[in-house]
Amino acid sequence: KHSEHSGATLWARVTSRQVWSRPPQNGAGMKHLSLYALMVVVAAGISLPCEALEFTAERLSRSGQEVHHARIFYRDHMWRLEYNEPGAVSATIVRADRNQVWHLIPSIHHFRTESYGSDYALHLTIRLDNETSREFIGTQTLDGHPTTLYEVVATGPGEQKETYYQWVATDMNFPLKLVKKDGDWMVEYRDVKLGRLADSFFQLPHRYVPMEP
């Protein structure tokens, strides 16, 4: 029964992995995913929600001194992260359409289920939450894509202003990189490929069983 892996000890290892998904609020990082990948139309600084977007990319994120690297597979309302670092969990599948999150543990062919919540949400618009201003800085080539660089100001908790730099790929309307101005947080996407993905990326593997509480 793999008793050496059961219970709180293994789950502590599972939840110790944090992949920052969105800008921190008041200096705190949000766990798992997250992402600013999108396909949007930008007009007069207003971004529309993306529809029928599917892509894969290498995702690099950092919060403070913690750096994480993962491969992301995204389809509307569902996404998968495959972690390129040691840990009990090899992948996380987020199914916002089912309000479920599955953490896969291949060493024992188990998975752990959590309820989907705002900490897992992906913000698929170029416009940031509570954005108050956006200033054009210049243009730059990033990961082979022509990008427009913006300085963006958003309002955080307690009406505190937070400033970010955002690189938007103009050839595919995709935010390749977002960095907090103070350097304490960032997320970057590399080797972005748009296209259809197999349903199996977003489904539980065969022969995996639920992990006991």
Side-chain angles (χ1 to χ4, degrees), residues 139-149 167-174 176:
T139 60
Q140 184 178 353
T141 299
L142 188 63
D143 197 34
H145 298 278
T147 70
T148 300
L149 172 61
W167 288 257
V168 179
T170 56
D171 56 345
M172 55 183 179
N173 289 323
F174 195 102
L176 289 178

Side-chain angles (χ1 to χ4, degrees), residues 27-197:
M30 297 297 184
K31 67 178 181 179
H32 295 291
L33 307 193
S34 55
L35 215 219
Y36 295 86
L38 47 83
M39 179 70 72
V40 296
V41 177
V42 180
I46 300 175
S47 54
L48 302 178
C50 59
E51 297 293 341
L53 172 63
E54 294 187 49
F55 71 90
T56 66
E58 295 294 328
R59 183 177 188 275
L60 181 67
S61 60
R62 177 174 54 79
S63 182
Q65 299 300 313
E66 296 188 48
V67 178
H68 298 284
H69 186 199
R71 184 76 182 173
I72 184 167
F73 302 82
Y74 177 84
R75 178 189 292 174
D76 284 342
H77 311 301
M78 59 190 77
W79 51 96
R80 176 191 183 107
L81 288 177
E82 294 184 350
Y83 305 115
N84 299 324
E85 55 193 44
V89 175
S90 68
T92 295
I93 300 173
V94 179
R95 293 294 302 262
D97 59 330
R98 296 185 179 184
N99 292 317
Q100 288 186 319
V101 178
W102 302 319
H103 301 288
L104 307 184
I105 309 170
S107 61
I108 55 175
H109 289 88
H110 280 56
F111 68 91
R112 177 75 179 229
T113 301
E114 288 186 354
S115 297
Y116 174 80
S118 60
D119 285 358
Y120 292 98
L122 301 184
H123 302 274
L124 302 183
T125 57
I126 289 176
R127 184 179 179 88
L128 302 186
D129 288 348
N130 302 314
E131 180 178 322
T132 59
S133 67
R134 174 178 294 264
E135 180 181 353
F136 171 80
I137 300 298
T139 60
Q140 184 178 353
T141 299
L142 188 63
D143 197 34
H145 298 278
T147 70
T148 300
L149 172 61
Y150 298 97
E151 182 177 283
V152 185
V153 178
T155 302
E159 301 301 313
Q160 180 180 356
K161 290 186 177 180
E162 299 174 334
T163 304
Y164 300 86
Y165 292 115
Q166 183 188 55
W167 288 257
V168 179
T170 56
D171 56 345
M172 55 183 179
N173 289 323
F174 195 102
L176 289 178
K177 189 173 183 178
L178 184 68
V179 180
K180 200 170 181 181
K181 188 173 183 179
D182 63 11
D184 188 56
W185 181 93
M186 64 84 67
V187 63
E188 181 177 358
Y189 296 92
R190 301 173 182 173
D191 191 27
V192 178
K193 291 182 172 60
L194 304 177
R196 295 285 298 173
L197 299 175

